[in-house]
Amino acid sequence: MTDPTATVTEVAGRRLRLTHLDRVLYPGSGFTKAAMLHYYTRVAPAMLPHLAGRPASFLRLPEGVTGQQFWAKRVPSGSPAWVPRLAVTHRQETMPQVVVGDLPTLLWAANLGCLEVHVPQWREQPDTHDRLIIDLDPGEGAGLLECCVVALTARELLAADGLTAFPKTTGSKGLHLTVALVDTPAEQVSDYARELARRLRRALPDLVVDQMAKQLRPGRVFVDWSQNNSAKNTAAVYSLRARPEPAVSAPLDWPELAACRRAEDLAFTPDAVAERVADRGDPHAALADPGAAGTLPG
């Protein structure tokens, strides 16, 4: 069946056939596939430096957030030859994964229904990391405000170690803190993240847990240090999230996080995020500057 909304366009010299542009991806708001493509086009200048060199994993939702969803890692057959890719070994299998290094690749993936973009904390080689991620995941009875308290304490601990953290929302109830590193062995990054989680638990014993056991988590924030495992991925900054309403893993600056008094203050629509980028630039830009990378203590 032909798609009456399909359009053929050229983006940075690449030919793209965009289909089903009127498909509603978020029924609660009427947010369409065309709106998704427009959003990613608007934020691409800020988003792409954070994706460069990293093999992407996509959460595909071809019919929208109420339809079937599945993870996609392997470059699909029939993909354009110009789509950048990197061979990545998963257990016993090596497969090509997309590296989203430019706007045509980002829009090509989004057109396939890749709503969410996730990347690891490494580029090129999984045994060497150039990012540290602190994943703050609130348990039942806790939320974004509790995560803000933990984030501010984590910032102080990281700063005492000579490290600069950049906060972002997860697009749900939690927060991510990202630290740019010089190339560091993956095991060393994971060990530091685990010890930092312990330090946060000691600093905030009534608020923080550093173990995954669900019975420990009600009313507390789980510091998920395991996200630094080379096999894991984290929602990329500026990625849309598959929530009931359009949501974004949105970059923040520390003053607005410290000033937050309602969770709603840090919940941003795609349009709001795109407008923030247009007005203020990317508050996480330094993460992509090699000169700003830190070194773990010891």
Side-chain angles (χ1 to χ4, degrees), residues 251-261 265-266 268 276 280 283:
L252 305 171
D253 57 39
W254 284 107
E256 67 183 331
L257 186 149
C260 179
R261 296 296 179 266
D265 294 340
L266 299 182
F268 302 104
R276 280 162 63 91
R280 304 161 51 179

Side-chain angles (χ1 to χ4, degrees), residues 1 52 90 103 111 115 121 124 280:
M1 181 182 296
H90 298 271
L103 180 58
N111 185 60
L115 186 77
Q121 313 313 318
E124 310 297 341
R280 304 161 51 179

Side-chain angles (χ1 to χ4, degrees), residues 51-263:
L51 306 179
R54 303 179 194 277
S57 298
F58 302 104
L59 185 60
R60 289 185 62 177
L61 300 95
E63 304 299 324
V65 297
T66 58
Q68 181 187 17
Q69 55 181 265
F70 54 93
W71 285 101
K73 292 181 180 287
R74 185 189 302 272
V75 178
S77 61
S79 300
W82 50 260
V83 171
R85 56 202 77 192
L86 179 69
V88 180
T89 299
H90 298 271
R91 297 181 181 175
Q92 303 302 315
E93 180 184 14
T94 298
M95 67 174 69
Q97 289 185 230
V98 174
V99 176
V100 183
D102 54 35
L103 180 58
T105 303
L106 178 60
L107 297 184
W108 166 82
N111 185 60
L112 293 179
C114 298
L115 186 77
E116 294 192 9
V117 185
H118 293 236
V119 289
Q121 313 313 318
W122 52 269
R123 294 162 51 99
E124 310 297 341
Q125 297 295 333
D127 58 354
T128 301
H129 289 204
D130 67 342
R131 293 286 186 274
L132 167 73
I133 188 80
I134 309 300
D135 182 2
L136 304 180
D137 184 8
E140 184 178 355
L144 191 61
L145 295 182
E146 287 77 12
C147 288
C148 288
V149 173
V150 178
L152 290 165
T153 302
R155 183 194 188 195
E156 294 178 359
L157 295 178
L158 289 162
D161 287 339
L163 301 172
T164 301
F166 294 80
K168 69 181 180 74
T169 70
T170 63
S172 181
K173 295 189 300 179
L175 292 172
H176 292 151
L177 309 183
T178 308
V179 176
L181 299 175
V182 299
D183 287 345
T184 305
E187 184 176 358
Q188 184 179 346
V189 178
S190 184
D191 287 347
Y192 178 85
R194 186 170 191 170
E195 180 57 27
L196 180 66
R198 291 179 180 139
R199 292 164 65 192
L200 284 167
R201 172 174 51 80
R202 291 194 291 266
L204 300 168
D206 296 328
L207 188 57
V208 168
V209 294
D210 60 346
Q211 300 178 53
M212 195 172 292
K214 290 185 177 180
Q215 65 269 24
L216 300 176
R217 296 174 64 180
R220 289 176 166 84
V221 175
F222 172 43
V223 181
D224 188 359
W225 53 269
S226 73
Q227 289 300 314
N228 293 280
N229 186 300
S230 296
K232 293 194 174 184
N233 301 278
T234 306
V237 64
Y238 297 105
S239 175
L240 291 168
R241 303 306 306 271
R243 308 291 299 169
E245 298 292 329
V248 176
S249 185
L252 305 171
D253 57 39
W254 284 107
E256 67 183 331
L257 186 149
C260 179
R261 296 296 179 266
R262 302 179 309 136

Side-chain angles (χ1 to χ4, degrees), residues 9-16 81-83 102 104-105:
T9 187
E10 186 172 295
V11 178
R14 304 300 189 185
R15 184 175 181 272
L16 294 174
W82 50 260
V83 171
D102 54 35
T105 303

